[in-house]
Amino acid sequence: GNLEDYEETVKKAKEAWKVWADIPAPKRGEIVRQIGDALRQKIKVLGSLVSLEMGKIFVEGVGEVQEYVDVCDYAVGLSRMIGGPILPSERPGHALIEQWNPVGLVGVITAFNFPVAVYGWNSAIAMICGNACLWKGAPTTSLVSVAVTKIIAKVLEDNKLPGAICSLVCGGADIGTAMAKDERMDLLSFTGSTKVGKQVALMVQERFGECVVTCSCFNFFKVFEDADLNLVIPSALFAAVGTAGQRCTTARRLFLHESIHDEVVTKLAKAYAQVRIGDPWDPDTLYGPLHTKEAVKMYLEAVEQAKQQGGSVVCGGKVINRPGNYVEPTIVTGLPHNAPIVHTETFAPILYVLKFKEEEEVFAWNNEVKQGLSSSIFTKDLGRIFRWLGPKGSDCGIVNVNIPTSGAEIGGAFGGEKHTGGGRESGSDSWKLYMRRST
């Protein structure tokens, strides 16, 4: 799409909003329920398309569509629950009410790694709140964007509603910039790199617009001496290698207590050797390719930097000799906690394994990086668990105990702190972001 297409689409979406905003919220919820059902019917073919275009394994592609379906179910119930309080007024004969209204048009810019789910989190909640949506997916996953939009448009049009309630403009940075600067965009949700997220946030703030920003992350995995290693090994493997290391919740740093460091590294390397690498459509495959050639280049550069900074490659570190963007899942040991590469987001399957002695130091190391999306701790010590969850514990938006960093549940607010952006999407009271409050 070009800027002329964008201009036409915004006008149509704004017109469509006038129709959508007049529909009662529970009836909007019924439409979203139908969208969920339409996605259910197409879940395998759409999951296949995600796998083909993005590169993640088929079950992850299907799982991503399932996440959109689940959010639709969540939004249906929410459509009967959004509301504000009636408060006691200090003035006789007066009523004091907090009324929630839709913001209008919600722009959604999503990344390549979750080309369905992130749009689903935003659109399903935004729709029941009474908003129209305009979506710009990643340029490298535009087939998925088109397919999802066609499924939604059919549901809307079958209900005699304008398809422009959920609009799509494919395109690159020119479209994203236009959305960020456009005062007709009442709320902008952005998911992507910190570098671009900062630019988007500044452009939106310059016009006093509202935005929800979820940016790069650098997730942490801490294992204490009392941890159950039968939980730790598969959890660390999944957190570091799942989606070929291209999740925003992928584990990048594994902190191991010095008493168990060598044992865990040995067991983890053995587990890495058993990872089934291959065609993402093959049901036996656990690990597919990186998304682009550029990602392969960044992977190789990161491995080289890790070596130069004193790291030892325990396993992996090379490109796999086969068609496609395949690289070996990699474990690096021996680096200090503050090595530059350890604080750099590569978005590739490289896990930095670090030693620690004391709880206080490893909590501090967890929080010393600029990002703060997801973190995990493995321990049986209840006191430590509650310190980890408390004000001096993890400063991340998602704080896990005895489970991996990767993944999240739709019922809880998803997002992070610091340079991850501070935005929240999906569950809890995130619906308030998609509405404006009148007192």
Side-chain angles (χ1 to χ4, degrees):
N2 57 33
L3 290 170
E4 288 179 6
D5 297 321
Y6 168 76
E7 185 63 29
E8 182 184 357
T9 305
V10 172
K11 287 177 182 174
K12 292 231 174 120
K14 281 289 198 182
E15 285 299 311
W17 175 76
K18 293 175 184 177
V19 177
W20 187 241
D22 281 340
I23 295 171
K27 293 193 174 179
R28 295 195 295 256
E30 165 57 19
I31 303 300
V32 172
R33 185 195 66 77
Q34 291 178 35
I35 290 170
D37 279 350
L39 290 163
R40 276 186 181 93
Q41 291 165 18
K42 301 277 189 185
I43 193 165
K44 287 192 175 177
V45 68
L46 193 53
S48 292
L49 183 58
V50 171
S51 183
L52 177 69
E53 194 173 31
M54 184 272 156
K56 63 176 61 175
I57 60 175
F58 172 68
V59 291
E60 287 191 355
V62 171
E64 187 178 338
V65 182
Q66 183 64 51
E67 201 164 337
Y68 192 172
V69 170
D70 292 343
V71 175
C72 286
D73 286 347
Y74 178 87
V76 175
L78 191 60
S79 70
R80 293 182 178 272
M81 296 167 67
I82 54 175
I86 299 175
L87 302 161
S89 173
E90 63 187 41
R91 293 170 291 180
H94 286 68
L96 184 60
I97 299 170
E98 287 190 352
Q99 168 79 30
W100 289 91
N101 288 306
V103 293
L105 180 58
V106 174
V108 185
I109 299 175
T110 60
F112 74 87
N113 61 328
F114 279 86
V116 175
V118 176
Y119 176 66
W121 296 343
N122 283 276
S123 65
I125 307 297
M127 286 180 75
I128 62 101
C129 290
N131 301 296
C133 296
L134 193 150
W135 181 20
K136 189 194 93 68
T140 51
T141 54
S142 53
L143 292 177
V144 172
S145 302
V146 170
V148 170
T149 302
K150 282 181 174 287
I151 291 168
I152 297 169
K154 185 175 189 309
V155 172
L156 290 165
E157 288 162 6
D158 285 350
N159 283 276
K160 297 182 170 49
L161 290 164
I165 290 166
C166 288
S167 296
L168 171 73
V169 178
C170 295
D174 56 339
I175 302 298
T177 299
M179 292 173 74
K181 291 183 174 180
D182 195 339
E183 293 200 350
R184 296 168 298 178
M185 206 64 57
D186 299 292
L187 172 71
L188 185 63
S189 173
F190 170 86
T191 302
S193 70
T194 296
K195 180 184 174 184
V196 178
K198 191 180 287 187
Q199 294 168 353
V200 167
L202 286 169
M203 285 186 275
V204 174
Q205 182 58 45
E206 194 172 40
R207 60 177 175 84
F208 286 106
E210 297 287 334
C211 65
V212 180
V213 179
T214 304
C215 297
S216 296
C217 39
F218 210 77
N219 307 305
F220 331 105
F221 207 100
K222 283 150 293 301
V223 183
F224 284 84
E225 66 275 17
D226 64 339
D228 181 348
L229 297 190
N230 291 323
L231 281 178
V232 169
I233 303 304
S235 295
L237 179 74
F238 176 70
V241 171
T243 325
Q246 297 167 113
R247 284 174 177 250
C248 52
T249 51
T250 293
R252 309 292 177 194
R253 300 187 294 169
L254 173 60
F255 291 106
L256 299 173
H257 190 269
E258 59 183 9
S259 65
I260 57 168
H261 177 276
D262 293 352
E263 180 185 0
V264 172
V265 170
T266 300
K267 287 183 175 180
L268 195 55
K270 187 176 179 182
Y272 266 53
Q274 296 172 47
V275 172
R276 297 188 299 274
I277 300 170
D279 184 339
W281 275 1
D282 186 331
D284 290 330
T285 298
L286 289 176
Y287 174 93
L290 293 179
H291 187 54
T292 61
K293 297 290 181 197
E294 181 64 24
V296 175
K297 182 183 173 189
M298 290 171 68
Y299 162 88
L300 289 171
E301 288 173 354
V303 171
E304 191 55 40
Q305 286 179 46
K307 290 177 183 175
Q308 290 172 6
Q309 292 169 29
S312 300
V313 176
V314 173
C315 63
K318 298 188 289 292
V319 172
I320 298 172
N321 185 21
R322 59 174 293 159
N325 305 323
Y326 287 86
V327 300
E328 294 175 341
T330 302
I331 298 173
V332 177
T333 60
L335 287 165
H337 68 94
N338 56 356
I341 192 62
V342 172
H343 286 213
T344 303
E345 173 66 276
T346 306
F347 226 58
I350 304 172
L351 182 66
Y352 304 108
V353 182
L354 310 154
K355 279 185 189 177
F356 74 92
K357 290 182 181 180
E358 303 293 337
E359 174 189 305
E360 193 173 332
E361 71 177 356
V362 79
F363 281 14
W365 293 349
N366 177 92
N367 298 341
E368 72 183 355
V369 298
K370 291 182 177 179
Q371 302 89 347
L373 180 59
S374 185
S375 54
S376 288
I377 187 174
F378 280 74
T379 183
K380 294 174 187 171
D381 185 329
L382 276 175
R384 179 179 291 136
I385 288 168
F386 281 97
R387 289 191 293 275
W388 171 242
L389 298 172
K392 294 181 181 177
S394 174
D395 66 357
C396 294
I398 301 172
V399 186
N400 300 287
V401 176
N402 292 328
I403 57 171
T405 56
S406 50
E409 292 194 30
I410 61 148
F414 180 89
E417 300 297 333
K418 303 184 294 189
H419 283 213
T420 301
R424 293 296 186 274
E425 298 164 306
S426 193
S428 185
D429 63 350
S430 297
W431 62 270
K432 291 180 179 178
L433 295 170
Y434 303 93
M435 304 194 84
R436 57 180 178 82
R437 175 164 38 185
S438 303
T439 303

